[in-house]
Amino acid sequence: MSIISIILVLIFAFLAGLEGILDQWQFHQPIIACSLIGIATGHMAAGIILGGSLQMIALGWANVGAAVAPDAALASVASAILMVQGGNFDLTHITGVIVPAAILLATAGLVLTTLVRFLSVGIVHLADAAAEKGSYSGVAGWHMFALLLQGLRIAIPAAIILAIPAETVTAALNSIPDWVSKGLAVGGGMVVVVGYAMVINLMATKELWPFFFLGFVLAPLSAITLIGMGILGVVIALIYLNLSNNAGNGGTAASSGDPIGDILNDY
């Protein structure tokens, strides 16, 4: 791996750590983090495949109250680096070895997350002390320092993995027993089902069900490219918004302003 690639990977790892807290640009999401590392290392297709596989699993990862979800940022960055270091970009290897390794890394990332959040408690008290003195720059500085720790939480493990020789990484991945990798793959598949169930639960409205089923009908059509699917989605959205506006402006009193909802109500 070239020096430029290593620098870019570390930058993306740092951004993924920041986004694990900020949620502004979603760099911590597997599909984005793995794709960026794939681009930086010259293996974009493999990065997208890995990111897409992990994204389906990460759909079921969410922080609920004090329960912290597995670390998607560390799983994405570390697994992508392991894939590149190992040099095996076969689909079977990615789904059977790299993805299970990512699940293990996501669980191990909880330790780093707990450590950084523990340190952040002390940093909050330091920010409070600066606020009592009327130091706006002090409050901002401590907040930026806490955010810096979040970035280093991913960047440092990424640098450590990059420092490991490729031969050692390959040997370690090949030494994982089949029962471990297959068991993690089955567990990951179960998490995917949970993720889909959560998404469907959010979509469980009579206005969105037609689009949900339309997507399942169009997805198997291999003649339509992803760009074509995107254009089709934009067109359908514009038609829906246009019908909604027309119904809201000139609809009758009995209309709800949602034409698709009114049609479904008639049934």
Side-chain angles (χ1 to χ4, degrees):
M1 192 181 299
S2 66
I3 298 297
I4 296 178
S5 296
I6 292 175
I7 293 174
L8 289 176
V9 168
L10 292 177
I11 291 175
F12 294 149
F14 184 78
L15 292 176
L18 298 182
E19 284 301 300
I21 295 298
L22 296 177
D23 283 330
Q24 294 294 318
W25 301 98
Q26 303 299 314
F27 285 117
H28 66 295
Q29 295 294 343
I31 187 63
I32 297 180
C34 293
S35 298
L36 289 176
I37 293 177
I39 293 173
T41 57
H43 303 286
M44 182 176 65
I48 294 175
I49 292 173
L50 175 60
S53 301
L54 289 178
Q55 190 67 59
M56 293 297 100
I57 298 176
L59 286 175
W61 293 350
N63 296 331
V64 180
V68 180
D71 194 344
L74 182 61
S76 306
V77 172
S79 62
I81 297 175
L82 288 175
M83 178 186 67
V84 174
Q85 291 283 77
N88 189 344
F89 306 103
D90 182 70
L91 179 60
T92 304
H93 178 75
I94 292 175
T95 57
V97 177
I98 302 299
V99 171
I103 298 174
L104 286 176
L105 291 168
T107 305
L110 290 174
V111 178
L112 293 176
T113 300
T114 302
L115 175 61
V116 172
R117 296 194 179 199
F118 175 78
L119 295 175
S120 297
V121 174
I123 295 174
V124 169
H125 291 302
L126 294 174
D128 289 339
E132 291 176 355
K133 298 177 182 178
S135 176
Y136 292 99
S137 60
V139 174
W142 285 117
H143 277 79
M144 294 300 295
F145 180 73
L147 190 60
L148 175 66
L149 292 180
Q150 294 291 343
L152 294 177
R153 174 177 61 87
I154 306 300
I156 292 177
I160 294 174
I161 297 175
L162 287 171
I164 300 175
E167 296 78 9
T168 304
V169 173
T170 302
L173 292 175
N174 293 333
S175 64
I176 299 177
D178 289 340
W179 63 271
V180 173
S181 59
K182 292 180 180 179
L184 289 173
V186 172
M190 294 175 64
V191 177
V192 172
V193 175
V194 175
Y196 273 123
M198 294 173 61
V199 174
I200 293 174
N201 187 47
L202 294 174
M203 294 179 57
T205 61
K206 57 187 177 184
E207 292 83 10
L208 294 179
W209 276 120
F211 298 101
F212 179 77
F213 290 112
L214 180 63
F216 271 99
V217 172
L218 295 177
L221 301 180
S222 58
I224 303 179
T225 63
L226 290 177
I227 296 177
M229 291 288 287
I231 294 174
L232 184 61
V234 172
V235 171
I236 294 175
L238 292 175
I239 293 174
Y240 177 79
L241 291 175
N242 187 43
L243 290 175
S244 299
N245 292 333
N246 291 338
N249 294 330
T252 62
S255 175
S256 66
D258 187 343
I260 295 182
D262 294 336
I263 293 174
L264 293 176
N265 284 334
D266 293 337
Y267 289 96

